[in-house]
Structure formats: structure tokens, C-alpha cells
């Protein structure tokens, strides 16, 4: 069995290279002869080192895994480096629709349209193409309409561990 000092740089390299959050289980499958407790210990040690050294990045636990992120105070420079792609840009209507789906899921298209007051089928399809929304089932009502919910990519996009991390409605209300 490998020791923590052997595993720590491997975990760091994996997190640095990954384009999506890596679960402890996935890391265990990549590194032979380790368990998830040792992986978690390596992640905790790396995070402590980053904090002590004043590094510009940190390890975040999101969407059921771990990912390396730059600290928020460096956003200004990172955004200059990386022009926001059209894939990540969402219109006001898309954001409204996505918020309704996120907070009400599983939700019918008719309920989204009732809340917004306009047709939303095309926007829901767009959100599905961007892999932010998916069909999560069918309602038991007449015609068995589709129910919509958010995806793992939604959690990644907004930096959430799980859907429970969404701000509460009271927190969003303007003062």
C-alpha cells in the first residue's frame, strides 16, 4: 500500500489535469492499492499546504467530486485570459427558466411557463443542449408530460456540491 507522501502528488496531478470534478472512488480506481480515506487525507493535506503557502488556488468539493479552482480574488485576471464562450453565456430568459427548474424540480414545462408567463419550450431545449437541464421522468397526470431537473453539469457550472447548496429564496430577496 502506498503512503500519503507518495499519493499526495499523484492526487494533485490528477486534480490539476481533470476537466471535471473527480470523485474519491474514481481517484481510487486510477491509483492502485489506496482507499478513499487516504485520498481524502491527501486532499486535506494539499488544501492545508495551499492555504499556508498563500497559493492562488484551492480544492473545492462540488458535484460529488473534487476539483482545483483558482481563488475568487483572481477572477478579474482569469476572465481577461479566457473570453466567456457562448456555451457558458446564458440569456436572462435562460437564467430565469433555469432558476425555476432548479428550485422547483422535478417540474413540468407547463409549470415553468405558468411562472414565467411565456412559452419556454425552446429555452428548455437550449438548456438541455447545454447539458444544464435533463428529463428526470414523467408526471402521472393526463398525457404523462415530461418532468425536468438540473444536471451534474449545472452543479459544476455554478460551483455547487449539490442542489441543497442553492441560496434560499429569502437570501435572494432585495433589501
Amino acid at each position: 500500500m502506498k503512503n500519503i507522501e507518495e499519493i499526495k502528488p499523484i492526487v494533485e496531478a490528477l486534480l490539476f489535469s481533470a476537466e471535471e470534478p473527480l470523485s474519491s472512488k474514481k481517484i481510487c480506481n486510477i491509483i492502485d492499492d489506496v482507499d478513499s480515506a487516504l485520498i481524502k487525507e491527501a486532499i486535506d493535506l494539499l488544501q492545508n499546504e495551499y492555504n499556508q503557502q498563500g497559493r492562488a488556488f484551492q480544492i473545492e468539493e462540488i458535484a460529488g467530486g473534487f476539483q482545483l479552482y483558482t481563488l475568487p480574488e483572481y477572477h478579474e485576471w482569469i476572465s481577461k485570459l479566457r473570453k466567456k464562450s457562448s456555451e457558458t453565456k446564458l440569456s436572462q430568459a435562460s437564467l430565469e427558466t433555469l432558476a425555476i427548474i432548479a428550485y422547483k424540480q422535478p417540474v413540468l414545462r407547463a409549470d415553468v411557463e405558468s411562472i414565467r408567463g411565456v412559452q419556454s419550450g425552446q429555452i428548455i431545449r437550449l438548456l438541455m443542449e447545454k447539458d444544464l437541464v435533463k428529463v428526470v421522468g414523467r408526471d402521472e397526470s393526463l398525457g404523462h408530460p415530461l418532468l425536468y431537473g438540473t444536471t451534474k453539469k449545472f452543479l459544476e457550472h455554478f460551483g455547487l456540491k449539490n442542489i441543497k447548496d442553492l441560496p434560499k429564496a429569502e437570501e435572494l430577496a432585495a433589501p
Side-chain angles (χ1 to χ4, degrees), residues 43-59 71:
I43 289 170
D44 289 343
L45 286 171
L46 286 167
Q47 186 62 47
N48 287 336
E49 287 176 16
Y50 300 159
N51 290 338
Q52 289 173 355
Q53 296 168 1
R55 304 306 294 248
F57 46 87
Q58 62 191 0
I59 299 171
L71 295 173

Side-chain angles (χ1 to χ4, degrees), residues 16-43:
F16 180 78
S17 301
E19 293 179 15
E20 59 187 32
L22 295 176
S23 67
S24 295
K25 183 179 178 181
K26 187 165 189 168
I27 296 171
C28 286
N29 289 337
I30 295 169
I31 307 172
D32 295 329
D33 205 23
V34 297
D35 62 14
S36 59
L38 199 56
I39 298 299
K40 181 67 174 123
E41 183 182 348
I43 289 170

Side-chain angles (χ1 to χ4, degrees), residues 70-95:
T70 53
L71 295 173
E73 54 263 34
Y74 300 105
H75 172 76
E76 175 186 343
W77 295 280
I78 304 280
S79 63
K80 287 179 183 179
L81 174 66
R82 233 185 258 164
K83 297 278 186 212
K84 295 237 181 210
S85 71
S86 62
E87 176 186 1
T88 57
K89 286 186 181 176
L90 296 172
S91 68
Q92 185 66 32
S94 294
L95 285 171

Side-chain angles (χ1 to χ4, degrees), residues 1 11 32 43 46 59-60 62 78 112 128 142 147 165:
M1 185 164 192
V11 169
D32 295 329
I43 289 170
L46 286 167
I59 299 171
E60 290 284 331
I62 62 166
I78 304 280
V112 173
M128 289 176 73
L142 184 63
L147 290 166
D165 290 341

